[in-house]
Amino acid sequence: MRVTNWMLVNTAIRELEGLRSQYAKSQKKVYGRALERPSDDPQRVIEAIDLTGMKVRLERAQRAATDAKEWLSIAETSLTAMAEDLQAVQETMIQFGSPANQEPTARENLALQIEALRDAIKREMNAQHRERYLFAGWATDAQPFVDDGAGGVEYKGSSHKIEREIAPGYKVAINVPGDQLPTDIIATLTQVAQAIRTGTTEDVMAYLDDVQAASHVLLARRSEVGLAYQQVEQFEGYSRDGLITVEERLGEISGGDIADAVMEMTQAQQAYQVALTAFSMALPMTLMDYMFR
Amino acid sequence: MIRGISSGFYTATRALQSSQWAIQLHLENIASANDPSYTRRTLENRVDPYGRLPEVMRLRDLFVDFQYRRAQSSAGYASTRADIMARVEDIFGDPIEGGLGQAIDKFFDAFKAVSEDPSDEVLRIEAIEAGRRFAQHIHEAMSQLTMIKDQINERIQGAVTEINAHLENLRNLNGRIATMVGSSEMAADLMDQRDRVLDELAKLTGARPTYLEDGTVRVMIGSVPAVDGTAINLLEVVQGENGPIVKWQDFELPAYYGDGGELPALLQVRDEDLNHVMTTVDRLAKNLAREVNRLHSQGYDLDGQTGHDFFLIQEQVPGGIYVHPDLTPRGIAAAGSADGLKMDGTIAERIYRLYDGMWPIYADTYTWEDPAAAGSPVKTLTLGKDLSVSFVHTYEDGTGTLVTVERRGTWSQNADGSVTVTLTEEWQVDPVTGTGSWVELSTPIEVQYRRQNGQLVPLSGSETYQASQPDLVDKSSAAMVWYRNLVGLIGSRGKAAIQDREVAEAHLQVAQEQRSSKWGVSVDEEIALMTAEQKAFAAVARVLTVMDEMLEILINAVS
């Protein structure tokens, strides 16, 4: 086969072009830009799109979990306060059984205590988080518990639960609708105060069961909230782990191991430079160069 | 003796002239060493026994030319495809850190945020912005795709002009070469020029030349003789449905699509790949906008208003979706009821759920019955997974006899997510023989349905059927699935085009090397041959001197 000057030059250019593109490719890998266009690796690009979608969902789940924890934590605080207030009510009612508290002044003091605790429970029932009523269902912009004029309260909220998706496809309720709270306890406490003022010990003690029942309801709600909080924390951990896995995989797809990529780039650079030097030395000489030099 | 010496002088002079001529040719070869279209020339028939003059030969090999032009045609096709596909890929941006995919993700994410806290106006503003960004991405993609299409159309126009110019050039060269060959004049330069034009033509159209005895070529493009001697057929561009199409002038032939080269690649990419991408993007945008609007118009905004759209859709404009100009953040209909509950995000949540799939799965059994109607009709419509339809209608005919009508046909999903059910045959029993058979209906019955909330609601017709199973989402109808499939398709075709280009260029490289090996100029070789010719020239000169001396001696001896 005859080998012409054009063949030599062309082969050199082609080889150099191949080495240069290999160098450019390894450089992109070092910058974490191994996938810049779908044709770089269609399957990996599809995987990257799926992972990016998953990442958005996990990030959303994490934000939802943070928000859920905030709501649940405040709800739990309010429920705990209400339960403690009811505990204090029970203690006050038992104190009334003591003969020393049958005095009109003592009675009045105890009745005032009960009323103060009732008002505190009412306040907690209307507790707010970021200007939204906690126990109002979906009607968070209006006070859920309003006085009914007879010493009790009327629930004006809705029975809907506010939910947060704390993991893709998994939702948790972050509030307790007001109709699930022992609403009647407010009216009962008004009656207890009245009984303390004018009634007998038996009259007062007759309400003890109602108070205890309300306490149980509150504790049950608090347990539910606590359980939900625990679930949120657990799923938040899953989301965090999931996000790390997704980001790691995305990193692998788009760049891979940096040390490996740097090594590859260094090798490609050296190969390119060696080829450049070799070709520059070998190419220009022809018989004419020798003859007329 | 005198005659012998004269003959010797004549032969020596011819040899001297041949060497001089050969040296001249070597110099010409060296001077053109860097011209890739130059064909190395040598002097043949230097010492002809019949006294004919030596001839300048072009060292061309038709088989190598054929191989080269085939490779050139494939490379032209693959390279054009790869270039355009690369530009289409660029439109969809970085698949990881941007692009339409991320805009779709963010759009649905924004609605999720609104669903979780519908009273927050900032989240509503973000949802509107996410909608605008999505629409903007669609507009950007469609505008760039349209721009690529326009540029392809311009290139088609330019390619046809160039091809026609080459064909005319070939016809002229054919004429001149035929004249020169006929008069035994040297046409090497013209042949080089013609071969260069043939190479260009092969790259543009995959044209195949046939060399004729009179020195001309016949050039076939597809099945049409584009040039035959000095006869010529030209291409023309006429307006088609999807932009300009290419046809042969004065021929009643279908539009030209060719079988290799740049022009067929341009036509194919435009009418197949680009068209598919544009249709898919348009379909993705409008279906998503339609489904969002369908749900949004059922919802209630913060002021208790209902029935308004989120997107404005311009059906006639490719990718024509916009966030409705009248939509305000408070106007996002996130709530599912008119109660005005601030945390009601039911509709926003349902819009978010479109992320998993926009359309329901239709394959199911649906029933319709009305015990109160005459004959207590019961109808059952079964849409099979194999796209078959079975319809059974049972009623009492008034005499206490139950009549059953059975029909069958097919169903298909429409571009807007609805389905069209077509019943084509009915089961009929021959009253004489009692045997039954499927008989084609004279007019097929066609009804369009949309499945929602466990019902098959007719878009044309009146009977609403109950589904036997709860609604399931068809995951393949999710916007992200369409997007990833589109990106996968573009990526695969782009990669295939790049690989085809690499293969074609490798073939072209081999063919080029073969060409260069056959008739390329090696300066070393030319110098060596020229040195030999110089020696030959000197030797002949010496022979002439000897003969001159011999003649002198002879003359002196005679006188």
Side-chain angles (χ1 to χ4, degrees), chain B residues 110-170:
Chain B
F111 265 94
K112 180 67 185 167
V114 171
S115 79
E116 290 186 338
D117 196 349
S119 63
D120 191 335
E121 287 200 30
V122 176
L123 296 179
R124 287 168 171 263
I125 292 169
E126 281 180 11
I128 288 180
E129 283 311 310
R132 285 208 179 106
R133 270 198 302 278
F134 168 66
Q136 188 61 37
H137 270 280
I138 294 289
H139 298 161
E140 193 64 30
M142 288 309 282
S143 133
Q144 290 196 39
L145 287 167
T146 310
M147 201 164 74
I148 292 176
K149 191 174 173 181
D150 290 345
Q151 284 170 354
I152 290 177
N153 288 342
E154 277 175 29
R155 280 180 69 182
I156 289 170
Q157 184 76 53
V160 169
T161 310
E162 200 180 339
I163 290 163
N164 284 345
H166 284 322
L167 294 177
E168 280 172 359
N169 200 3
L170 274 179

Side-chain angles (χ1 to χ4, degrees), chain B residues 415-435:
Chain B
D416 63 355
S418 63
V419 290
T420 301
V421 171
T422 313
L423 297 169
T424 51
E425 292 177 332
E426 190 171 289
W427 182 255
Q428 286 185 1
V429 180
D430 191 318
V432 182
T433 61
T435 53

